[in-house]
């Protein structure tokens, strides 16, 4: 299975007596983009957080770059977290810091680049998400869509080998959303980044995905190429796609 | 050993948070779990405090936020405590010739007991609540998870500077507030009781020994650590939006205040034994 960068095996996760994940099996190849679809509250965010140890499974295994991580402590997870960037659903920007400090956080923490190199890199990644001259602003003064893009810039600043996108285009206008879709595509094509994209936006899903995985009642009900998803006869996925998601 | 953080919280096999349906046992479970989490967080905090690289900027920021900005509340509290103690002593012990002991009684009760405890309670209210509210709103907006996702350790980045700053500043705040309380006593001795400055001061200095100062100030190191760990633990483990932040903040004030009062008893006994 050396071809996989991220792999979940029989992942179970409950909160209290609420079983959210009930045996998720899913593998994402190196350089591949898999879109995870599913209704609200089905555990998409919970699932991708397992990838970097923000949740640990009650049972089952999680592999990242051939390392089994589910038992790792915070120290041991550092290497995995440097390799895998995450865009949080609501951005999760540090609101006591400027945009620049947010985006530069991992660069300052994990590289010995000079202040100038860091400033350049910050400008570069902000450019990738189509933002400029926002470095000195505080997150509170940004619009929702801008926050999301700053958060994305922060997630890609260290040039991770894999990126987890939790609803990257939700709340963006169609033009910016398309720019983000292109960015996801470009990161994959040019840098071979492996991606998991959680989205409700069916258009985005078909644009950026190589494969579609449909999370339903705690399991992966459907896992196939975008073409297979379009022609699916699986009634619940069909229903979901025809409902247009909620995007 | 696996030290997963739900920061400091124990690894629950089924992730089960205690809930009302568990009745009385659930309540007990919740308390034990909170206690266990705090003990674990204490261990992590101590371990990371002495590990390089030191986060100097974060420490300086917290020393200012927690220390300098608590000066008013602790000093005002102890100024009036010193004053009231002086007049209470003078009047209530008048029949036993208590007037002449005003300096002794103010000095001993302030330095051994009231200074440390009242300063700690004020700091538990002001600083403890502030820490929990700040970290709690970070937790519910996933900023704590974002920190972890960026491969930074929340214990190092958030907990150590706050607990450390508290442990450094509370003893200093207490020494200053003690001095102010003695000054408050002096004001009353001069203007209400009719003693001379020299008389009052000689009783203050005659009563105090170095042991009194060490045991009084020594206790505050422990108080500060307890307040810091309780406040950080509650903050980082806050769930459930703004409502959760409010509850966590209240919990911090209650639990850290009680911890100060209860641990004061045991610490006092301990210092009596060792000094
Ligand atoms: N830390 C947590 N503690 C308790 N319950 C949680 C926690 N995180 C998630 N849950 C629960 O797990 C379920 C799945 O949540 P999750 O955020 O993964 O849904 P989602 O599929 O991402 O939904 P959405 O599309 O609305 O973002 C929800 O019912 C949520 O309440
Ligand atoms: Mg989600």
């Amino acid at each position: 299975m050396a071809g996989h960068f991220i792999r979940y095996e029989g992942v179970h996760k409950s909160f209290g007596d609420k079983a959210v994940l009930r045996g998720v099996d899913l593998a994402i190849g190196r350089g591949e983009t898999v879109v995870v679809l599913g209704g609200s509250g089905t555990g998409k965010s919970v699932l991708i957080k397992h990838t970097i140890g923000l949740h640990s499974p009650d049972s089952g295994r999680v592999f990242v770059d051939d390392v089994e991580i589910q038992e790792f402590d915070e120290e041991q997870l550092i290497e995995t977290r440097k390799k895998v960037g995450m865009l949080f659903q609501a951005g999760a920007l540090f609101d006591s810091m400027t945009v620049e400090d947010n985006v530069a956080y991992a660069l300052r923490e994990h590289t010995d680049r000079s202040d100038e190199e860091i400033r350049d890199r910050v400008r570069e990644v902000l450019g990738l998400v189509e933002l400029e001259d926002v470095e000195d602003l505080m997150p509170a003064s940004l619009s929702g869509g801008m926050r999301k893009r700053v958060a994305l810039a922060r997630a890609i600043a260290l040039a991770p080998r894999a990126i987890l996108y939790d609803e990257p285009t939700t709340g963006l206008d169609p033009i910016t959303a398309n720019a983000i879709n292109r960015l996801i595509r470009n990161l994959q094509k040019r840098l071979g980044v492996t991606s998991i994209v959680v989205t409700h936006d069916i258009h985005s899903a078909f644009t950026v995905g190589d494969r579609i995985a449909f999370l339903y009642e705690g399991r992966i009900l459907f896992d196939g190429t975008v073409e297979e998803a379009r022609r699916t006869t699986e009634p619940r996925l069909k229903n979901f796609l025809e409902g247009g998601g909620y995007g | 050993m696996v030290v997963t953080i739900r920061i400091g919280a124990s690894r629950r096999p089924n992730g089960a948070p205690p809930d009302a349906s568990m009745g009385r046992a659930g309540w007990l479970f919740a308390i034990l779990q909170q206690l266990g989490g705090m003990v674990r967080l204490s261990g992590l905090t101590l371990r990371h405090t002495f590990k390089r690289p030191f986060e100097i900027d974060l420490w300086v920021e917290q020393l200012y936020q927690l220390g300098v900005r608590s000066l008013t509340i602790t000093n005002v509290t102890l100024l009036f405590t010193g004053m009231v103690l002086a007049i209470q002593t003078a009047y209530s012990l008048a029949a036993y010739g208590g007037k002449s002991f005003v300096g002794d009684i103010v000095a001993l009760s302030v330095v051994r007991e009231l200074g440390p405890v009242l300063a700690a309670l004020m700091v538990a209210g002001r600083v403890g609540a502030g820490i929990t509210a700040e970290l709690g709103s970070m937790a519910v907006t996933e900023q704590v998870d974002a920190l972890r996702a960026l491969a930074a350790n929340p214990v190092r980045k958030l907990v150590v500077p706050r607990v450390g700053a508290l442990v450094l500043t509370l003893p200093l705040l207490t020494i200053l507030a003690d001095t102010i309380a003695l000054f408050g006593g002096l004001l009353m001795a001069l203007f209400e009781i009719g003693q001379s400055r020299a008389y009052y001061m000689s009783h203050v200095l005659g009563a105090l020994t170095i042991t009194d100062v060490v045991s009084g100030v020594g206790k505050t190191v422990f108080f500060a650590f307890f307040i810091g760990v309780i406040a950080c633990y509650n903050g980082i483990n806050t769930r459930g939006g703004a409502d959760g932040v409010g509850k966590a903040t209240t919990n911090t004030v209650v639990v850290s205040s009680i911890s100060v009062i209860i641990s004061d008893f045991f610490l006092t006994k301990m210092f009596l034994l060792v000094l």
Side-chain angles (χ1 to χ4, degrees):
Chain A
M1 294 253 177
H4 293 140
F5 193 80
I6 297 168
R7 187 151 48 93
Y8 311 100
E9 269 182 28
V11 170
H12 284 76
K13 182 73 179 175
S14 301
F15 297 101
D17 45 17
K18 183 150 109 211
V20 178
L21 303 179
R22 306 187 208 171
V24 171
D25 293 300
L26 183 65
I28 295 93
R30 289 169 196 278
E32 189 181 32
T33 299
V34 169
V35 172
V36 175
L37 296 177
S40 202
T42 47
K44 304 181 296 295
S45 299
V46 168
L47 174 66
I48 62 173
K49 284 182 188 169
H50 278 79
T51 322
I52 49 176
L54 297 181
H55 287 306
S56 59
D58 301 333
S59 66
R61 313 203 292 171
V62 179
F63 296 86
V64 177
D65 202 11
D66 298 321
V67 180
E68 187 174 341
I69 62 145
Q70 75 272 3
E71 294 289 338
F72 277 11
D73 66 21
E74 294 287 302
E75 297 296 314
Q76 294 168 302
L77 283 165
I78 289 177
E79 283 314 307
T80 307
R81 288 171 176 173
K82 285 201 262 185
K83 278 190 260 187
V84 182
M86 170 151 185
L87 166 64
F88 285 81
Q89 188 164 353
L93 294 178
F94 303 129
D95 39 46
S96 61
M97 296 180 197
T98 62
V99 167
E100 165 147 10
D101 290 340
N102 264 280
V103 177
Y105 198 91
L107 296 168
R108 294 196 179 125
E109 197 65 17
H110 303 297
T111 69
D112 36 28
R113 295 186 205 191
S114 69
D115 288 352
E116 194 159 332
E117 287 168 318
I118 287 177
R119 213 169 308 126
D120 289 344
R121 176 65 182 162
V122 168
R123 189 167 324 119
E124 184 188 348
V125 289
L126 284 172
L128 288 176
V129 296
E130 320 230 310
L131 287 173
E132 56 180 37
D133 292 332
V134 294
E135 281 93 332
D136 296 328
L137 300 178
M138 298 304 282
S141 63
L142 302 176
S143 74
M146 287 166 90
R147 289 168 144 256
K148 188 138 243 179
R149 284 182 283 158
V150 172
L152 179 51
R154 183 177 70 180
I156 62 180
L158 262 192
R161 292 172 55 203
I163 302 173
L164 313 169
Y165 302 89
D166 201 343
E167 309 206 0
T169 55
T170 308
L172 300 184
D173 66 82
I175 307 222
T176 317
N178 269 330
I180 298 299
N181 288 336
R182 273 199 307 277
L183 172 67
I184 296 174
R185 266 289 174 215
N186 280 336
L187 288 171
Q188 180 197 20
K189 282 211 193 97
R190 292 213 302 256
L191 304 174
V193 170
T194 305
S195 309
I196 301 182
V197 182
V198 168
T199 186
H200 284 161
D201 174 350
I202 304 297
H203 170 73
S204 171
F206 287 138
T207 312
V208 302
D210 297 315
R211 260 169 58 220
I212 305 273
F214 183 51
L215 185 64
Y216 187 87
E217 295 190 342
R219 291 195 190 84
I220 300 293
L221 185 69
F222 171 93
D223 176 2
T225 64
V226 169
E227 270 318 302
E228 286 165 347
R230 275 189 216 276
R231 290 183 276 105
T232 186
T233 52
E234 173 15 80
R236 285 159 292 193
L237 175 58
K238 215 171 156 180
N239 191 21
F240 187 87
L241 295 176
E242 280 163 5
Y246 316 99
Chain B
M1 193 188 70
V2 183
V3 197
T4 12
I5 337 199
R6 264 301 59 160
I7 315 309
S10 64
R11 199 181 168 81
R12 283 165 275 134
N14 59 357
D19 57 56
S21 67
M22 294 167 77
R24 194 162 299 173
W27 178 78
L28 188 65
F29 182 70
I31 291 199
L32 289 178
Q33 191 187 11
Q34 191 180 17
L35 203 64
M38 285 170 184
V39 170
R40 194 180 297 233
L41 182 59
S42 302
L44 286 170
T45 304
L46 289 174
R47 191 151 66 82
H48 282 287
T49 300
F50 302 102
K51 232 170 156 183
R52 283 160 200 282
F54 302 117
E55 313 275 352
I56 306 291
D57 293 356
L58 298 178
W59 277 75
V60 170
E61 160 85 19
Q62 293 305 324
L63 283 171
Y64 175 75
Q65 289 291 341
L66 309 187
V68 178
R69 300 187 61 191
S70 300
L71 280 168
T72 313
I73 188 169
T74 53
N75 288 338
V76 169
T77 304
L78 266 297
L79 173 66
F80 281 87
T81 302
M83 287 174 13
V84 82
L85 204 55
I87 50 177
Q88 289 280 29
T89 309
Y91 289 105
S92 59
L93 297 185
Y96 312 100
K99 268 193 180 175
S100 51
F101 294 114
V102 166
D104 309 61
I105 291 185
V106 169
L108 287 175
S109 36
V110 163
V111 171
R112 292 194 62 92
E113 199 53 46
L114 289 173
V117 170
L118 290 178
L121 289 176
M122 292 300 129
V123 166
R126 186 193 170 279
V127 175
I131 290 176
T132 302
E134 185 192 6
L135 299 188
S137 45
M138 286 185 72
V140 298
T141 55
E142 296 191 304
Q143 292 177 55
V144 176
D145 275 348
L147 207 55
R148 299 166 69 201
L150 293 168
N153 187 325
V155 174
R156 289 186 64 81
K157 297 289 177 182
L158 302 174
V159 180
V160 168
R162 285 172 175 77
V163 174
L166 264 174
V167 169
L168 287 184
T169 51
L170 186 56
L172 298 176
L173 285 168
T174 303
I175 291 172
L176 187 58
D178 282 353
T179 313
I180 301 242
L182 296 178
F183 174 71
L186 171 66
L187 289 181
M188 291 303 102
L190 290 178
F191 301 116
E192 287 274 326
I193 304 165
Q195 294 177 344
S196 71
R197 189 172 62 96
Y199 184 83
Y200 173 82
M201 286 312 292
S202 73
H203 274 267
V204 165
L205 297 175
L208 285 179
T209 63
I210 192 78
T211 313
D212 299 320
V213 179
V214 170
S215 79
V217 175
K219 290 195 279 197
T220 64
V221 172
F222 295 88
F223 295 159
F225 187 78
F226 297 150
I227 296 168
V229 168
I230 290 166
C232 289
Y233 177 86
N234 279 339
I236 284 180
N237 291 294
T238 301
R239 297 285 171 271
D243 187 39
V245 177
K247 285 185 183 141
T249 306
T250 310
N251 182 281
T252 292
V253 175
V254 173
V255 175
S256 59
S257 303
I258 290 179
S259 306
V260 167
I261 302 282
I262 294 179
S263 66
D264 179 47
F265 173 78
F266 293 100
L267 289 167
T268 302
K269 295 219 46 130
M270 185 188 88
F271 277 111
L272 284 174
L273 277 178
V274 298
L275 287 179

